[in-house]
């Protein structure tokens, strides 16, 4: 993930909060700045991050070159065979926009949870992704694409070579890796780091979810982006309402199902880790309060004979109030409606895929 370009500070409850007002500086921003897109971004109106310019320029230019070559050499355009293939650039634009949007939302959720005030090591939560991971995923993704291309290139034309040896590994892969990094930071790294941190649970949270509503909502929002991508992939792959020779390979359906299952597992992991963290913190706090309460009561094990000394009555009242606060805290980091929406969105991509596949 990475730092943030600019923030505004607002005072709340005597402390300062930092709210992101511009796109965050992502891994792909740093890489594309080296490639000259930072220089270009500084010389055009607006305030576009280098990764936006990289995506726009490379996707548009590569499509223009491919279409132009095909037209000049009377090569059938894939858009005639499958018009839904035009969704592919939109998915790429959506991926980089989603990466920036989700990273901004992640930073703001950490701010709302006041991580700077509550954690001894806030940086481990503010930037939870290891710096080597994006490069490792890019090398693996590009390497697999190039290896597959070498095995399948026997009957290819010029546009196939251009797409498989340049566009896919060096344009598509970095963009998708950037989105994936932000996604896993929300669904994997952040919940895991949070559960191992010292911030504990905010039992006075008026919403009753331990102060973890921001991260709970973000887990849901991140998956919504995956849902949109899977629906786009289904449209491209199954090409409904198109009378042509377009066929769908078994591998395409397998890839869709595999991605769908993996993303469901990622959401389940986030929910499970956060639930276990909240449950453990809640039980530990209840046990601590119970021990304090028991020390204030005579015969604490017998409901019929227990007594509260007069000098301990106020302390017992406060302890019982605290126990009620802790007991009322949900063990899930979001409301029932949020998880209901999430479950519906989990079923939606697979339902659309099955519908299109059988049309």
């Amino acid at each position: 993930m990475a730092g943030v370009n600019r923030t505004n500070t607002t005072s709340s409850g005597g402390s300062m909060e930092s709210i992101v007002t511009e796109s965050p500086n992502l891994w792909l921003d740093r890489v594309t700045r080296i490639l000259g897109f930072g220089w270009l971004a500084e010389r055009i109106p607006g305030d576009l991050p280098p990764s936006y310019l990289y995506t726009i320029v490379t996707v548009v230019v590569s499509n223009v070159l491919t279409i132009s070559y095909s037209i000049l050499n009377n090569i059938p355009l894939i858009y005639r065979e499958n018009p839904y293939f035009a969704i592919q650039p939109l998915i790429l634009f959506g991926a980089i926009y989603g990466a920036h949007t989700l990273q901004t939302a992640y930073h703001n959720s950490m701010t709302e949870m006041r991580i700077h005030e509550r954690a001894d090591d806030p940086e481990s939560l503010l930037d939870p992704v290891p710096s080597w991971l994006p490069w490792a995923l890019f090398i693996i993704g590009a390497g697999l694409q190039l290896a597959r291309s070498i095995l399948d290139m026997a009957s290819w034309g010029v546009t196939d070579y251009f797409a498989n040896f340049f566009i896919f590994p060096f344009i598509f892969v970095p963009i998708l890796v950037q989105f994936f990094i932000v996604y896993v930071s929300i669904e994997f790294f952040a919940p895991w780091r949070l559960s191992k941190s010292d911030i504990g649970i905010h039992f006075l949270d008026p919403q009753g979810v331990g102060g973890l509503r921001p991260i709970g909502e973000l887990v849901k929002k991140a998956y919504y982006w995956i849902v949109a991508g899977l629906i786009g992939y289904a449209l491209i792959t199954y090409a409904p309402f198109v009378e042509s020779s377009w066929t769908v390979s078994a591998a395409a359906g397998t890839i869709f199902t595999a991605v769908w299952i993996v993303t469901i597992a990622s959401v389940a992991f986030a929910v499970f880790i956060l639930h276990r963290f909240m449950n453990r913190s809640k039980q530990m706090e209840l046990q601590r309060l119970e021990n304090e309460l028991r020390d204030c009561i005579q015969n604490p094990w017998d409901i019929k004979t227990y007594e509260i000394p007069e000098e301990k009555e106020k302390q017992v009242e406060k302890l019982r109030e605290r126990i009620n606060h802790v007991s009322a805290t949900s063990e899930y980091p979001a409301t029932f409606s949020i998880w209901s929406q999430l479950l519906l969105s989990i079923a939606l991509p697979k339902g659309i895929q099955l519908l299109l596949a059988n049309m």
Side-chain angles (χ1 to χ4, degrees):
M1 303 215 306
V4 176
N5 290 341
R6 185 184 301 165
T7 60
N8 284 341
T9 56
T10 59
S11 179
S12 175
S15 62
M16 300 301 290
E17 294 186 2
S18 177
I19 304 300
V20 178
T21 59
E22 291 187 0
S23 295
N25 185 26
L26 302 177
W27 166 76
L28 192 57
D29 287 312
R30 299 194 298 273
V31 173
T32 54
R33 189 172 285 111
I34 296 173
L35 298 176
F37 288 92
W39 177 88
L40 181 62
E42 294 172 356
R43 284 159 177 78
I44 63 173
D47 193 21
L48 283 178
S51 57
Y52 278 166
L53 286 176
Y54 168 80
T55 303
I56 293 169
V57 171
T58 56
V59 171
V60 171
V61 170
S62 61
N63 271 274
V64 168
L65 290 175
T66 302
I67 293 171
S68 300
Y69 182 87
S70 297
I71 292 174
L72 291 173
N73 291 276
N74 295 318
I75 299 173
L77 292 174
I78 193 170
Y79 299 105
R80 292 180 180 175
E81 188 177 9
N82 178 4
Y84 294 91
F85 215 76
I87 297 174
Q88 187 182 72
L90 298 180
I91 292 177
L92 293 169
F93 296 146
I96 196 61
Y97 176 76
H100 279 271
T101 299
L102 289 174
Q103 174 67 347
T104 299
Y106 178 80
H107 180 89
N108 287 338
S109 70
M110 293 294 102
T111 298
E112 188 176 347
M113 291 168 62
R114 299 180 182 273
I115 295 301
H116 274 298
E117 299 175 25
R118 299 166 62 191
D120 288 340
D121 181 21
E123 290 305 317
S124 66
L125 285 166
L126 296 176
D127 191 11
V129 178
S131 59
W132 55 265
L133 186 59
W135 288 107
L137 292 177
F138 166 67
I139 292 171
I140 292 171
L144 289 175
Q145 168 59 34
L146 292 172
R148 187 196 67 82
S149 300
I150 292 172
L151 294 175
D152 295 343
M153 65 181 184
S155 58
W156 284 355
V158 173
T159 56
D160 296 314
Y161 281 104
F162 181 58
N164 286 276
F165 282 100
F166 178 72
I167 296 176
F168 295 159
F170 300 112
I171 297 178
F172 288 11
V173 168
I175 295 170
L176 296 177
V177 163
Q178 179 60 83
F179 178 83
F180 180 74
I181 285 295
V182 176
Y183 180 79
V184 298
S185 72
I186 294 170
E187 306 287 356
F188 285 94
F189 290 110
W192 181 259
R193 294 278 180 89
L194 194 64
S195 70
K196 300 299 180 182
S197 71
D198 59 339
I199 71 166
I201 298 298
H202 177 38
F203 290 112
L204 296 178
D205 177 19
Q207 299 184 39
V209 290
L212 298 185
R213 180 196 57 80
I215 191 69
E217 286 193 345
L218 192 55
V219 166
K220 176 195 71 172
K221 290 177 182 177
Y223 186 73
Y224 283 174
W225 286 91
I226 293 292
V227 170
L230 285 173
I231 292 174
Y233 178 80
L235 289 171
I236 293 172
T237 303
Y238 293 95
F241 316 122
V242 178
E243 295 294 335
S244 70
S245 59
W246 183 267
T247 58
V248 180
S249 66
T254 301
I255 291 172
F256 182 96
T257 301
V259 172
W260 180 66
I261 291 174
V262 168
T263 53
I264 291 175
S266 70
V267 174
F269 176 85
V271 173
F272 172 73
I273 291 296
L274 291 172
H275 164 67
R276 189 175 66 172
F277 167 55
M278 298 180 77
N279 175 268
R280 183 176 67 246
S281 300
K282 181 176 177 179
Q283 296 308 315
M284 289 176 61
E285 185 62 19
L286 283 174
Q287 184 63 51
R288 187 188 68 80
L289 291 170
E290 181 188 356
N291 291 338
E292 286 190 32
L293 182 63
R294 194 165 55 244
D295 291 340
C296 296
I297 298 175
Q298 297 176 359
N299 300 324
W301 305 109
D302 191 343
I303 189 64
K304 294 179 292 186
T305 63
Y306 87 93
E307 292 184 5
I308 302 174
E310 184 176 350
E311 67 274 12
K312 297 285 188 178
E313 287 180 354
K314 289 186 178 180
Q315 185 177 354
V316 168
E317 183 181 351
K318 290 181 179 179
L319 286 170
R320 283 176 172 169
E321 181 182 352
R322 291 171 183 173
I323 288 172
N324 289 335
H325 276 299
V326 176
S327 298
T329 298
S330 169
E331 294 180 6
Y332 291 90
T335 62
F336 174 77
S337 63
I338 288 177
W339 296 126
S340 299
Q341 296 166 19
L342 184 57
L343 290 173
L344 179 62
S345 67
I346 286 173
L348 186 62
K350 191 62 176 177
I352 291 177
Q353 184 224 11
L354 293 175
L355 176 65
L356 296 178
N358 290 282
M359 291 182 66

